[in-house]
Amino acid sequence: MAPMTSSDRETKLLNAYRTRLPAQRRAMASKASPELRVQLARIERHIAMDASPGAMAAVLTERREMQARHLHLIDQAWIDMAEGRADRVMITMPPRHGKSRRASRWAPLWYLRQHPDRRIMIASYSGDLAEEHSRWIRDAIETWGDELGIHLNPSSRAAMRFDIAGHQGGLVAAGIGGSLTGKGATIALVDDPVQDMASADSPSMRRKTWEWWQSVLQTRLEPDGAICVIQTRWNEDDLAGRILADAQANEWKIIDLPALADSDTDPLGRAHGEPLWPERFDADHHAPTRRRVGERVWAALYQQKPRPPEGGVWQRTWITDHRLTTVEFGGLDMARVIVAVDPAGGESSVGDETGIIGAARGFDGHLYVLEDRSASMGANDWGLTACRLALALKADAIVVESNYGGDMARQVLSQAWEQLRRDGTTAGQLMPRVLEVTAKVGKRLRAEPIAQLYEQGLIHHVGAHVRLEEQMATWVRHGLPRPHGRRRPRTDRTRRPRPARRSGRTHPRRPPRRTPLDPRKRPHKGKRPWPYRAASAVTT
C-alpha cells in the first residue's frame, strides 16, 4: 500500500473536519497551520450556508440580511420540506415582516443549492410579482454562483424560467391563473395569492383562484413533492381559508403568526399581546396602525383572523357581556335541556361541519348554550357524538334538522343510541325524544330574531365556546354569500327550535302574536311555527 502523501492527509483531515461537532472543529482549528486554517474557514462558511436559508443569507450578505425568530420558522419549514418531513406547509403572517424575502427568495435559492436536480415553482397573484422573485433568485445565482456551487444554464436563463447548468433542476414562475402546462415541480410555492381587499371580497376572483389551485397547481407536483402556501390573510374564504376547510385532519403543517400573539398555542411561545417582531414593530407601533387601518383590516392582515365586512348579525359584546361561568349556571334550575343537530349538507359539502350544540331553557325564560361539539364527521360519528352529549346533559330531546337527510337523521340517532346501549354507556337511561324540524325560510330570517334575544340579554353562553362565537360574530346579514357555498353549522344550530317547558310539550314553540321576541310569552295557537326554529334551542 502506497504511503499517504501530505496532500492525502490534508484531504482526509478536511473531510473529517466537516463531520465534527462545533466544539471539536474549534479544537482542530486551534491546532491547524495558518494555511490550513484558511481552508477550514472556507469549510465553516459552507457548513453555515448548508444550515438554513437564513444562515446562508447571513453568510452571503456579511450579516446584513435581517434575522428574527419568526423567520427561523420559515427556515425550518423549508428544511422539513427538503428533507421529506413535511409535504404541506402553510404560513400566515402580517405584511412587512419579511415573509416573501425569506420564503420566496432566500429559501428557494438555498434549496437549489442543496438540490440542483430538483425544480421549484413560484406562483403569486400576478405574473409580475412571481417574476420579481424569480429574477432575484436568478441574479443571486449569477452573483454568488461560485460560492453557491451552482450556475445558470446559458441556454435557459430567462427571468420567468431558468435551469441549473449541468443538472436537471431549475425554477419556473407564473401568476395565479397562468398556464403551467408541461412544467413540474418538487416544491410548489404560492406566495401572496391575494392582491388586495377588492380581489379578496370578489366571489368570482376567489372561485378562479380555487379552480386554478385544484386544476393547475395540484397537477404539477412531483410524487415526492411539497407545497408551501405563505400569505397574509384577507378573507375567510381566501385561498388559505379554503384549503383549511377542504383539508383532512393534520394534513397541513400550519404556522400562524399574528402581529400580536392571541393564543396559548403561539408557534413562538409568545405571551398574549406580544409583538411578532418587536425589534421593528413593537406594540406602540401597532396601536396607531390598528386605528388607521380599521378593525376588519387589522383582524385579517395583521392578526390572520379575517372577518366578513361590517354588518354581522351578532355583536361579540352581546355574548361576552352575558356569559355565565359553570358555577353560576350550577345554581339555576332548567325547564328543558336539548341537543340540537344540524347534519352537513346543502348546496356544497366542501368543508361542512355537522353542528351539535347542547342548550337549555330556564324557568325564567332565559336560554343557555351549554356545549359545542360541532365538527366535520360522518353520519355514524355525529350520531354517537349527539347521543353522548344527550347522555352527559341528561337531555329531554334531540332536535335534528331533516332538510337534507329526511328520515335518515332519526335512523342515525336511533342506531347510535342502540350502539351505546349495547356498550353499556347509556346505563339504562332512556333515549330522548327525537324532534325533526325542517327549515322553511333562509338563515337570515331565522337568525335576526335570535340575535335580538342576544341583544336583550336573554341568551347566555355557559363558559367559552370559541369557534362557535367566532362564527356567530362574523356571520353576515343581508344574504351575503358564505365562503365556497359553505354553511356555518354552529351558527345554524343557534337557530334550531327552542326547548319547550317541562309541561310535557316537546314540539317547537311558536311566536307570540304581539311580542315575537319575548320567549317568556305563551305561543299563540294557529300561528305557523317559528321561522327560525333552529335558534333558541342551542345558541341559548
Side-chain angles (χ1 to χ4, degrees), residues 256-277:
D256 182 42
L257 297 168
L260 299 177
D262 59 2
S263 74
D264 296 330
T265 58
D266 184 78
L268 294 172
R270 294 177 292 163
H272 281 249
E274 185 178 343
L276 179 60
W277 201 351

Side-chain angles (χ1 to χ4, degrees), residues 204-263:
S204 62
M205 291 296 293
R206 297 197 303 268
R207 183 180 65 255
K208 289 178 181 178
T209 300
W210 183 247
E211 290 173 351
W212 173 87
W213 167 265
Q214 290 183 307
S215 62
V216 179
L217 187 75
Q218 298 277 4
T219 64
R220 300 293 94 202
L221 204 63
E222 297 291 343
D224 60 344
I227 298 177
C228 179
V229 175
I230 181 164
Q231 71 166 94
T232 293
R233 295 298 306 274
W234 290 85
N235 186 288
E236 58 180 355
D237 188 37
D238 59 19
L239 182 61
R242 265 190 208 198
I243 289 173
L244 294 177
D246 193 44
Q248 300 296 317
N250 302 319
E251 182 179 6
W252 284 78
K253 177 179 181 179
I254 309 298
I255 303 174
D256 182 42
L257 297 168
L260 299 177
D262 59 2
S263 74

Side-chain angles (χ1 to χ4, degrees), residues 6-205:
S6 59
S7 177
D8 292 336
R9 286 194 295 271
E10 185 175 289
T11 301
K12 183 178 180 180
L13 176 63
L14 293 176
N15 291 334
Y17 182 85
R18 295 176 183 272
T19 64
R20 296 295 192 269
L21 297 174
Q24 295 173 319
R25 295 202 304 270
R26 286 192 296 269
M28 294 174 66
S30 66
K31 301 176 182 179
S33 65
E35 295 79 9
L36 185 58
R37 287 183 183 179
V38 173
Q39 297 186 56
L40 296 182
R42 187 179 302 113
I43 293 175
E44 283 291 341
R45 189 175 177 89
H46 283 274
I47 291 175
M49 291 171 63
D50 289 339
S52 71
M56 184 187 72
V59 169
L60 294 178
T61 63
E62 303 298 335
R63 298 187 180 276
R64 293 190 301 273
E65 183 66 21
M66 294 182 295
Q67 305 291 337
R69 287 197 305 157
H70 66 282
L71 298 179
H72 297 333
L73 293 181
I74 296 178
D75 289 346
Q76 189 59 52
W78 271 85
I79 293 171
D80 289 344
M81 289 190 293
E83 296 179 358
R85 291 191 296 270
D87 62 357
R88 297 291 185 275
V89 176
M90 179 182 295
I91 305 171
T92 56
M93 55 191 295
R96 311 308 305 161
H97 278 65
K99 69 181 189 313
S100 291
R101 185 170 178 84
R102 181 59 59 87
S104 300
R105 296 187 175 184
W106 285 111
L109 181 64
W110 172 85
Y111 183 81
L112 288 175
R113 178 178 185 271
Q114 298 287 318
H115 306 283
D117 287 311
R118 300 181 183 179
R119 302 197 65 83
I120 294 176
M121 182 179 295
I122 298 179
S124 296
Y125 66 79
S126 73
D128 290 342
L129 180 58
E131 182 181 352
E132 284 184 25
H133 297 320
S134 178
R135 185 186 299 276
W136 187 95
I137 298 168
R138 183 200 64 177
D139 294 347
I141 294 176
E142 289 183 331
T143 303
W144 293 304
D146 290 340
E147 285 198 79
L148 293 171
I150 55 175
H151 295 84
L152 297 172
N153 186 332
S155 62
S156 178
R157 53 190 305 146
M160 294 290 280
R161 176 171 181 165
F162 60 79
D163 297 320
I164 303 300
H167 296 276
Q168 299 298 313
L171 185 146
V172 61
I176 288 179
S179 174
L180 292 171
T181 303
K183 305 176 180 67
T186 311
I187 289 188
L189 172 67
V190 181
D191 181 19
D192 281 333
V194 181
Q195 180 176 8
D196 50 31
M197 192 63 79
S199 299
D201 287 342
S202 168
S204 62
M205 291 296 293

